[in-house]
Amino acid sequence: MKILSIIGARPQFIKCAPLSRAIRKEHKEILVHTGQHYDINMSEIFLKELKIPEPDYNLGIGSGRHGEQTGKMLLEIEKILLKEKPDMVLVYGDTNSTLAGSLAAAKLQLKLIHVEAGLRSFDRSMPEEINRVLTDHVSNLLFCPTKTAVQNLKKEGICKRVYNVGDIMLDSIVYNQRQAEKKSNILKELGVSPKKYLLATIHRPANTDSRENLISIVNALFDVNETIVFPIHPRTEKYLRQYGLWETLTQKIIAIPPVGYLDMLKLEANALKILTDSGGVQKEAYMLGVPCITIRENTEWIETVEDGWNVLVGANYEQIVNSVKNFCGCTSKKNVFGTGDASEKICKILNSEFDL
Ligand code: UD1
Ligand code: UDP
């Protein structure tokens, strides 16, 4: 079988690594990188570290307005699909690269597989929510990471060929965590000790593109009086500079460029607590048993909140400061994301559903 996989943004490299490895044992995979993320530390570092095969196509689309970026991708992906004629097209998650790949495949009536299907924040102001809903509704085979995701799809009338296989990001953790602990020197390099620092990541437009919200978050980080390690996404750097927050931030906390996956795993596993608005980081905090303070009003990873390991605080100064002091997570975990074998399960189902 010829499977054409589409990736383009940081979380998709991490999701694609284990599945690409599994697919290539039995099938031919064509890998398309849209180029949505292009800095070395947002793209190449992951391909190298995770040993993702060199993409067959790199579209080099880069940044732009949503319509512009998605439209350019759609145009280029369609050309490749017409040339390669794959048996199936595979997309991951909820970025503009996901949506462009889904539309291109659906319009050509190709079989579309969505990995990380069924997630909902029920917040249509998030670009990702639009991408998820549209992708799910044109997909032929939907791989969900949780029971909630399956239920979300059911409520929207999507019941056929929906499988709960667990979360593919857990596959990546299982495969890489020991190596991360052994190989990464990031704690030494930054001069921090295990469980003596907080880890922060922020990149959602609701937090970065709003001056008021970003100032509130940054002030809270300053005032919690803890050592904070903050790998800064390029979108966030742009706005921190624009709002005149950059100089003070870099003086008061350990602000670093985005890090590779192994360094990130090491930083996450050894953090006392994690503050984030990232979807992937919320899950990883849960998987690694680190309390997570989520700087959003809602989450598609609701199980992490229900299980007592995640708390939603929005961009609210008082709530961030209070939760850093008081939120300690839970003592037990239900392992809501499966057992780290999502890629194997997906491959088995792909074989049995070839004739769908
Ligand atoms: C995108 C995804 C988001 C995902 C995130 C992962 C969409 C709509 N959003 O958001 O779901 O959580 O990736 O990180 O698809 N930039 C650089 N270098 C890069 C990449 C981006 O400088 O390599 C800067 C550019 O100024 C760009 C901005 O970051 O305009 C935003 O990049 P973009 O890919 O549009 O969205 P993200 O915020 O990264
Ligand atoms: N990540 C990383 N380096 C960083 C920040 C994040 O390797 O500096 C990883 C993180 O461990 C997770 C993924 O990137 O696996 C999450 O991606 P991101 O936060 O960009 O997007 P989201 O998950 O919110 O879509």
Side-chain angles (χ1 to χ4, degrees), residues 9-11 36-39 42 63-64 66 69 94-97 127-128 131 203-205 233-235 238:
R10 178 166 67 188
Q36 174 168 353
H37 286 173
Y38 45 87
D39 289 345
M42 293 294 287
S63 308
H66 285 276
Q69 189 183 50
D94 54 18
T95 71
N96 287 348
S97 300
E128 293 82 2
N131 295 343
H203 74 278
R204 294 253 104 80
H233 188 288
R235 171 192 282 281
K238 187 170 84 179

Side-chain angles (χ1 to χ4, degrees), residues 94-278:
D94 54 18
T95 71
N96 287 348
S97 300
T98 316
L99 179 61
S102 304
L103 285 178
K107 291 281 182 180
L108 291 173
Q109 311 246 313
L110 292 168
K111 290 166 193 165
L112 180 65
I113 311 161
H114 187 200
V115 174
E116 213 180 72
L119 275 297
R120 297 290 181 268
S121 63
F122 305 102
D123 175 1
R124 292 271 172 118
S125 71
M126 287 181 77
E128 293 82 2
E129 186 77 353
I130 309 283
N131 295 343
R132 289 177 197 129
V133 171
L134 296 178
T135 295
D136 284 339
H137 280 262
V138 292
S139 290
N140 306 96
L141 196 48
L142 299 99
F143 292 113
C144 296
T146 59
K147 279 187 206 154
T148 312
V150 175
Q151 283 158 10
N152 289 339
L153 291 176
K154 203 170 174 186
K155 284 181 199 150
E156 292 175 23
I158 306 174
C159 305
K160 258 194 186 168
R161 300 199 173 95
V162 172
Y163 295 94
N164 178 3
V165 290
D167 198 296
I168 194 122
M169 288 182 98
L170 185 54
D171 294 28
S172 271
I173 289 196
V174 168
Y175 193 81
N176 290 292
Q177 204 200 346
R178 205 179 303 156
Q179 209 196 350
E181 272 306 320
K182 226 166 72 183
K183 273 197 172 172
S184 167
N185 290 319
I186 189 88
L187 302 192
K188 264 195 201 138
E189 284 164 20
L190 299 177
V192 295
S193 310
K195 303 296 166 189
K196 297 273 195 267
Y197 66 91
L198 310 179
L199 176 68
T201 82
I202 297 292
H203 74 278
R204 294 253 104 80
N207 289 329
T208 57
D209 303 16
S210 152
R211 178 188 291 266
E212 192 192 337
N213 285 351
L214 196 55
I215 289 176
S216 167
I217 295 164
V218 166
N219 281 337
L221 296 184
F222 290 163
D223 292 351
V224 292
N225 252 333
E226 300 274 356
T227 302
I228 298 182
V229 177
F230 188 0
I232 303 191
H233 188 288
R235 171 192 282 281
T236 314
E237 176 172 348
K238 187 170 84 179
Y239 285 100
L240 286 167
R241 288 185 188 278
Q242 196 172 305
Y243 305 151
L245 298 166
W246 183 254
E247 300 302 325
T248 330
L249 184 98
T250 48
Q251 282 158 16
K252 290 200 177 180
I253 65 181
I254 306 176
I256 54 173
V259 295
Y261 182 63
L262 296 183
D263 282 344
M264 188 64 183
L265 277 187
K266 179 111 176 196
L267 281 170
E268 287 176 325
N270 289 286
L272 179 63
K273 292 174 191 177
I274 294 178
L275 295 112
T276 192
D277 60 6
S278 155

